[in-house]
Amino acid sequence: MSCGCKTSGDSAHSCGPKKTATGCENVNTCGNSYKLSVFDWLSNINNPAPNRCDFVEVRFKNDRKSFYKNVNNIPLHIGSVVTVESSPGHDVGVVSLTGELVKIQMKKKKFSEELALKIYRQANQKDLEVWQEVRKKEDAVKLEARKIAQRIGLEMKVTDVEYQGDSSKITFYYTADNRVDFRQLIKDYAGAFRTKIDMKQIGFRQEAAKVGGIGSCGRELCCSTWLTDFRSVNTNVARYQQLSINPQKLAGQCGKLKCCLNYELDSYLDALSNFPSSSTTLETEKGKAFCIKIDVFKKKMWFAYVDSSIAWYDFDIDLVKKLISKNKRGEKTLPLEDLKQPETSPQSIDLIQENNVDRFEKKNRNNRNRNNQNKPNNSNQGQGGQPQGQGPKKNRPERQERTQRSEKSENPNANSGNQPRQPKPQQQTKAPVEKVKSEANPGAEKAPQSNPNKKKFKKKYPPKKDKNE
């Protein structure tokens, strides 16, 4: 048997336990994807036949549910479409719960077994066709009903329309602030729709649950997803939680205070039970002081003088209790500024040094100092004054010249032997100058070079010849 949703005519359709992309398309008609469905955790347990529960929970459009008696012992499961007794005619619904949990739900909702109606049969193809046809008419009927109510001038809003399974009755759900006279409205509805009319007033919270939407928290409304009972919310709830009484922030889409204000109310009340009263006044030597603010999380109370309420002083609740007991003995306390102790902020140690802007510069300075200390130790290692394990550094001729000068100064006779000197690449540019000098003074080549480093400091232009020569 199909589940009764939009795709119930398709035999291959199977609604999963959740509303997914491949599951049911209509959350209002599919039994397995209903927003307020109950999980049957006793479905795998077979009870004895004498103790078997004959009652079944059947749901209809939106959140309307009722309990029916299975007098014919029809094998039913969650999602079965059944035809049930109604007044007048019959109605079509979907089984939402079976087994022993039905008794618990009936006891919880205080439903009498004597008032339970009967289940006729599982819905046949004819029942499903009529049910689906009337369900398609509901949107057009709702728009037409709103026009009729507006033409009459009634201050009401038609929120939703529900057809009975056999199309013998229409139920109109509406919201209104004041009492509405329906005598002329029902006559117009009966003449327009040619069926029995039933009017049912709902609250603004129930209207938001039917319409649905996204709350200020960014999630779906609680009333349209999982919330079943709507408790009253007043402004005292916001005062207990130290919230500003701002209607724009505290009101939901229904125009009433948000239901989520009740979620943490019990925790705040438990915490406030240890606090002194917010109307507490302290008798000080400087004058009376009254409580201005309470912080539940920090367990502090702020006081200010009656004469000058600009300066606020915060105290722990333990100290406030001692001051109150002192006033009860008839003694005045010290001024608030004397009672206030300077707060010592704990010094945090930055182990990672993430708060220091120059943390990278300090590391570079240390590395430079280490490199400078290691340079004279590594200068004699390897060939050519370079440290071992490193290749020759490019584009640094000055450093090579310095190392060669130091070696020559330590051992000036190192190049006095017969070993030929290798020309340096840096002195190739000075070759034409030396050639001119040798031509001017041919006996200079035979003289030993006492200080070869002086060549680097000679002038680059040739000397002038004497006129006598």
Side-chain angles (χ1 to χ4, degrees), residues 30 60 93 126 129 152 161 169 174 182 191 198 217 228 247 252 260 268 270 273 297 309 314 358 386 452 456:
C30 178
F60 303 92
K126 184 178 180 181
E129 290 177 359
I152 297 174
V161 176
K169 184 176 69 173
Y174 71 95
F182 294 118
D198 187 12
C217 59
T228 57
C260 56
Y268 276 91
D270 293 340
S273 61
F297 300 103
S309 60
D314 57 310
D358 56 345
Q386 295 178 357
K456 297 180 181 180

Side-chain angles (χ1 to χ4, degrees), residues 237-244 268 272 292-296:
V237 177
R239 291 192 179 95
Y240 287 137
Q241 301 181 31
Q242 310 299 320
L243 299 175
S244 61
Y268 276 91
L272 289 174
I292 292 182
K293 179 184 174 183
I294 295 176
D295 195 333
V296 180

Side-chain angles (χ1 to χ4, degrees), residues 202-417:
I202 60 175
F204 293 98
R205 299 180 188 276
Q206 286 81 1
E207 179 188 9
K210 293 178 181 294
V211 176
I214 304 298
S216 58
C217 59
R219 304 183 65 180
E220 294 185 46
L221 299 179
C222 299
C223 55
S224 62
T225 51
W226 62 272
L227 194 61
T228 57
D229 56 338
F230 301 98
R231 300 179 182 179
S232 61
V233 186
N234 51 23
T235 56
N236 291 331
V237 177
R239 291 192 179 95
Y240 287 137
Q241 301 181 31
Q242 310 299 320
L243 299 175
S244 61
I245 309 301
N246 189 352
Q248 295 180 355
K249 293 183 178 180
L250 299 180
Q253 293 189 3
C254 58
K256 304 294 182 181
L257 294 177
K258 295 180 181 179
C259 298
C260 56
L261 294 175
N262 282 334
Y263 296 165
E264 299 178 356
L265 179 61
D266 296 336
S267 300
Y268 276 91
L269 292 176
D270 293 340
L272 289 174
S273 61
N274 297 326
F275 277 74
S277 177
S278 59
S279 60
T280 301
T281 57
L282 298 178
E283 294 288 343
T284 63
E285 297 176 356
K286 197 174 180 179
K288 285 186 178 182
F290 63 97
C291 180
I292 292 182
K293 179 184 174 183
I294 295 176
D295 195 333
V296 180
F297 300 103
K298 294 182 179 180
K299 296 183 179 181
K300 289 185 178 183
M301 299 178 68
W302 275 260
F303 287 88
Y305 290 109
V306 178
D307 299 335
S308 60
S309 60
I310 299 176
W312 294 8
Y313 303 92
D314 57 310
F315 304 102
D316 294 335
I317 57 174
D318 297 333
L319 180 58
V320 174
K321 290 179 181 179
K322 293 179 181 179
L323 298 177
I324 293 173
S325 61
K326 192 174 182 180
N327 290 147
K328 288 181 179 180
R329 293 194 300 266
E331 301 177 3
K332 291 186 178 181
T333 63
L334 297 174
L336 298 180
E337 53 269 16
D338 295 341
L339 294 173
K340 178 63 179 175
Q341 297 179 357
E343 296 181 357
T344 58
S345 59
Q347 296 180 357
S348 60
I349 301 173
D350 190 7
L351 299 177
I352 311 177
Q353 296 182 357
E354 59 184 4
N355 296 328
N356 297 334
V357 181
D358 56 345
R359 59 186 183 274
F360 298 110
E361 297 179 2
K362 290 182 179 180
K363 293 180 180 179
N364 294 334
R365 291 173 184 174
N366 296 332
N367 293 333
R368 290 175 184 174
N369 295 333
R370 291 175 184 174
N371 294 333
N372 294 332
Q373 292 176 1
N374 296 331
K375 278 181 181 179
N377 297 329
N378 297 331
S379 60
N380 296 329
Q381 296 177 3
Q383 296 178 358
Q386 295 178 357
Q388 294 181 357
Q390 296 182 1
K393 295 182 179 180
K394 299 180 180 180
N395 301 327
R396 299 298 297 273
E398 297 178 358
R399 183 172 296 179
Q400 294 177 0
E401 292 176 3
R402 291 177 184 175
T403 55
Q404 290 175 2
R405 289 176 188 174
S406 61
E407 291 177 357
K408 292 176 181 179
S409 61
E410 292 177 359
N411 191 4
N413 299 325
N415 297 328
S416 61

